[in-house]
Structures are given as C-alpha cells and as structure tokens.
C-alpha cells in the first residue's frame, strides 16, 4: 500500500510503549508467584465450607474457588491449571465422571479473566481509552452472575444424574478457621482493588504492588517460594508476556492498516447500516465475538475488533464501561468454545497428567466439546442478562 517497511517496526514499538500495558507483565508475574504455593488449597477450603454441603458440592467448590483464584491470576488458563489440578482428581474420587469434572473446571476457569485483575480488561482500556479502574470494578457483579449460572447448571446436572455425595454443612468454627488460613490470599484483591478504587494507585502501580505482596507472602510467610524458583517463574512469565506483547503489536498494526485503507470505516458504516438500534447492534456484537472466540484468542480479538466496534457503540449511546464488560464476557466464553477453546486444552492436559481414580476413560477434545455445552449455554444466558441489563455492570460504579 505504499507504506515504508520501517513503518511496521515503528508502529509495533509505539503500540507497546504504553504505561498502562506495564500492568500486564506485573500481573502475570504476580499470578505465577502465587501459583507456586498452596494459595489455591486455602481458597478451596473456604469454598468447601461455603458450598460443599449442596448437592453437587465438589462442582460448586471448583467454580467458587476459580472465582476467588481469578482475583489473584487474571488469567483463565492459569486458573484452570491451578484449580483443576486439585479439583479434577478430587471430583473423580468423590464419584464424578472425568468428563464432567474436566468440563466444570474448564468453564469455571473463564471466570479468571472476568474477575479483576483481568488482562483483557487492561487491553480494552488501553485500546479504547476507558478507565481500567472502572472496568475492574464493573466486572465484579457480572463475574459473580456468571459463577451463579455455572453453579445452577452444575446443580441441575448433578441432581438429574445423581453425581457426587452430599456432605455435612461446615460449622461456623470451621468457616472461621478456613477464612483465617486463607487471609493472605483474600487480601490480594482487597489491596489491588482498594488501592485502585481508593485513588492510591494506578492499575500499573497496583500490579507492581501485587508482585511485591506475592513475593513477601510466598517467600517469608508461607516459605514455599524459594529464590531459585524465581528464575523459572520469571522465564515462564517472560514467555507469556512475550506472546501477549507480540499479539498486541501485530494486532495494533493490523487495526491501523485497516484504518488507513478505509476497512475499519467501511465496517463501522456497515454495522450502522445494518442496525441503528443499539439493542440489535449489541446482539450482532455478541454473535461476532462468540464466533471469533471459537477461532481467535481473547487478546487478539480485543485488539482486532474493538477499534471497529467501539466507535459504533459510542455513537449509539452505549456506556463505554458496559461495552467493555460485554466484550470481556464474550471472550471469556470463547475460552471454552471449541475448536480452539484454550481452557479445554489446558483442562485436558491437566486431566491426562493425573491418574484417574475412578473413571479410566481418556478425555479428548471431541468428548469435551460435547460435555461442555450445558455450561456454555448457561454462560450465554448470563451474557444476555449482562448485555441488556446495564445495571449489572454499573451498580458498583456509584454513579460514575
């Protein structure tokens, strides 16, 4: 198109030369540090006390623990690996089929990018120029709603198919003990969100604080993270960060080229022509994102589609924060939709590494694609509620 080759490098570099994007590697490092220890076990104990007595209790424990763990990692794959590594064999031991256990843990892992800190939310905020602090707060209620939808469908399946055993309700003293043992993990979202929403830190500064906090807890309090482990942690975090940053640089370049050659404007005009009604537009957005989620990872989709869709959304009077929540929920569901659902492959990998305790059948992407559909339907119903009832996204913003 007549653009000089050096333009490629310049545009990709300028895309990454962003202070808000520094939050991404910091949150990745913090999540990897916390994944080394037994924080997931302490959160699991709290979840067991809260929902373990309900029919299908082990499935509910997986979902609730993923909800808690998402506030530490900000990553769907990390949540599946950490929680699924504990819960898949535990569910098998309690009589749940391996496919159901793997499906529950793969879908509940998508809560990892809905509960702040969330890397896709940081990417949306930096792309659209929307407050990352407001986005973090706005996804809390939708994340809980999605968790409730997953609990409900798991309860129905367990009742109808007679999965699992019913255990006694935890005593108040047991609950207090579990909360006390999990206090260091529970303090992470309090520190991060409290600092951001209290105006004490920016999201990037809060991410750096979470790294320091994770180091202090892992090295000096739990004493499970050794300094020699930091080399492996930093290498793993570097690989993850490098992959994400290459996607951001290339996708930003792609979006810019689309703008230069009028592709983005043509796409925006087409969307407005198809529907000037914001409710129909939101339905179209959901369909596009859900289809894209089957083939494209969340970070790529955010950078490719948001520059096209966001201007149309603002023209139609859709709240920018609400639109960011809708996009993130869609892409969270995309983590578990075949054929390229990242969470499915992570959960299958975790399941294959662990020796089945009851069900010896091998879990495959084909069998998982069938097993996971009830949870996907529940997530889509929750998505429609979040899309057409903005209150879920704005209730905690206190009139912002």
């Amino acid at each position: 198109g007549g653009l000089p080759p050096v333009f490629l490098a310049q545009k990709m570099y300028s895309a990454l030369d962003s202070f808000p994007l520094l939050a991404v590697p910091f949150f990745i490092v913090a999540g990897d540090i916390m994944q080394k220890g037994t924080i997931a076990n302490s959160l699991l104990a709290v979840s067991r006390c809260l929902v373990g007595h309900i029919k299908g209790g082990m499935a509910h424990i997986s979902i609730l623990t993923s909800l808690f763990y998402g506030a530490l990692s900000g990553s769907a794959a990390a949540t599946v690996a950490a929680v699924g590594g504990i819960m898949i064999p535990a569910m098998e031991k309690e009589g749940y089929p391996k496919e159901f256990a793997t499906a529950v843990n793969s879908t509940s892992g998508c809560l990892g990018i809905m509960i702040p800190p969330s890397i896709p939310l940081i990417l949306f905020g930096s792309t659209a120029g929307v407050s990352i602090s407001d986005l973090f707060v706005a996804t809390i209620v939708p994340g809980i709603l999605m968790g409730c939808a997953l609990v409900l469908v798991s309860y129905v399946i367990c009742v109808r198919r007679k999965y699992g055993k019913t255990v006694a309700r935890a005593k108040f003293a047991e609950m207090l003990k579990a909360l006390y043992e999990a206090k260091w993990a529970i303090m992470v979202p309090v520190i991060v969100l409290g600092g951001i929403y209290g105006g004490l830190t920016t999201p990037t500064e809060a991410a750096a604080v979470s790294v320091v906090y994770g180091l202090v807890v892992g090295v000096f309090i739990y004493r499970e993270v050794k300094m020699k482990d930091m080399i492996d942690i930093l290498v793993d975090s570097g690989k993850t960060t490098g992959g994400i940053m290459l996607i951001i640089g290339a996708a930003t370049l792609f979006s810019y080229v689309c703008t230069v050659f009028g592709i983005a404007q043509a796409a925006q005009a087409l969307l407005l022509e198809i529907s000037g009604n914001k409710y129909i537009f939101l339905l179209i957005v959901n369909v596009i994102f859900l289809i894209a989620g089957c083939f494209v990872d969340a970070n790529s989709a955010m950078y490719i589609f948001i520059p096209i869709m966001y201007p149309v959304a603002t023209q139609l009077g859709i709240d920018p924060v609400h639109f960011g929540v809708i996009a993130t929920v869609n892409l969270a569901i995309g983590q578990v939709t075949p054929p390229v659902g990242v969470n499915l492959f992570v959960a299958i990998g975790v399941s294959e590494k662990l020796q089945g305790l009851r069900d010896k059948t091998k879990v495959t992407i084909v069998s998982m694609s069938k097993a996971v559909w009830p949870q996907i339907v529940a997530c889509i119903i929750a998505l429609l509620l979040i899309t057409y009832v903005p209150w879920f996204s704005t209730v905690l913003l206190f009139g912002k």
Side-chain angles (χ1 to χ4, degrees), residues 43 46 72 178-180 182-191 213:
L43 295 174
V46 175
L72 308 181
L179 285 170
Y180 179 77
K183 60 184 180 297
W184 299 112
I186 294 171
M187 282 301 294
V188 175
V190 173
I191 291 171
Y213 180 84

Side-chain angles (χ1 to χ4, degrees), residues 40-107:
N41 283 316
S42 64
L43 295 174
L44 188 147
V46 175
S47 301
R48 187 185 296 274
C49 291
L50 289 172
V51 296
H53 60 280
I54 304 172
K55 181 64 178 177
M58 294 295 284
H60 310 327
I61 291 169
S62 295
I63 295 164
L64 191 58
T65 305
S66 296
L67 196 68
F68 290 149
Y69 196 85
L72 308 181
S73 70
S75 165
T79 302
V80 174
V83 179
I86 300 169
M87 289 304 302
I88 291 175
M91 289 180 70
E92 281 192 78
K93 189 176 180 180
E94 292 293 323
Y96 295 85
K98 183 187 289 187
E99 286 185 353
F100 176 73
T102 310
V104 167
N105 282 276
S106 62
T107 49

Side-chain angles (χ1 to χ4, degrees), residues 110 145-146 149-150 283 286-287 290-291 294 329-330 332-334 336-337 372-388:
C110 72
L145 178 64
M146 184 79 85
L150 291 173
L283 181 61
N286 284 337
V287 171
L290 288 173
I291 293 173
C294 294
V329 174
N330 270 290
I333 297 172
V336 291
T337 49
V372 83
W373 276 110
Q375 285 85 358
I376 291 177
V377 170
C379 289
I380 291 174
I381 292 172
L383 167 65
L384 292 175
L385 281 173
I386 293 163
T387 300
Y388 293 111

Side-chain angles (χ1 to χ4, degrees), residues 267 270-271 274 280-296 301 304-306 308-309 327 330-331 334 383:
L270 178 63
L271 285 172
I274 292 173
I280 297 178
F281 167 74
L282 287 174
L283 181 61
I284 294 171
V285 167
N286 284 337
V287 171
I288 291 173
F289 268 128
L290 288 173
I291 293 173
C294 294
F295 306 100
V296 183
I304 291 170
F305 291 106
I306 292 306
I308 295 173
M309 295 178 174
N330 270 290
L331 296 176
L383 167 65

Side-chain angles (χ1 to χ4, degrees), residues 88-90 92-94 98 354-360:
I88 291 175
E92 281 192 78
K93 189 176 180 180
E94 292 293 323
K98 183 187 289 187
L354 302 166
Q355 177 62 42
L357 297 172
R358 178 177 179 270
D359 188 352
K360 303 293 183 180

Side-chain angles (χ1 to χ4, degrees), residues 185-219:
I186 294 171
M187 282 301 294
V188 175
V190 173
I191 291 171
V192 171
L193 290 179
I196 293 172
Y197 209 60
L200 301 174
T201 61
T202 65
T204 302
E205 292 163 351
V209 169
S210 70
V211 173
V212 176
Y213 180 84
L215 276 173
V216 170
V217 172
V219 175

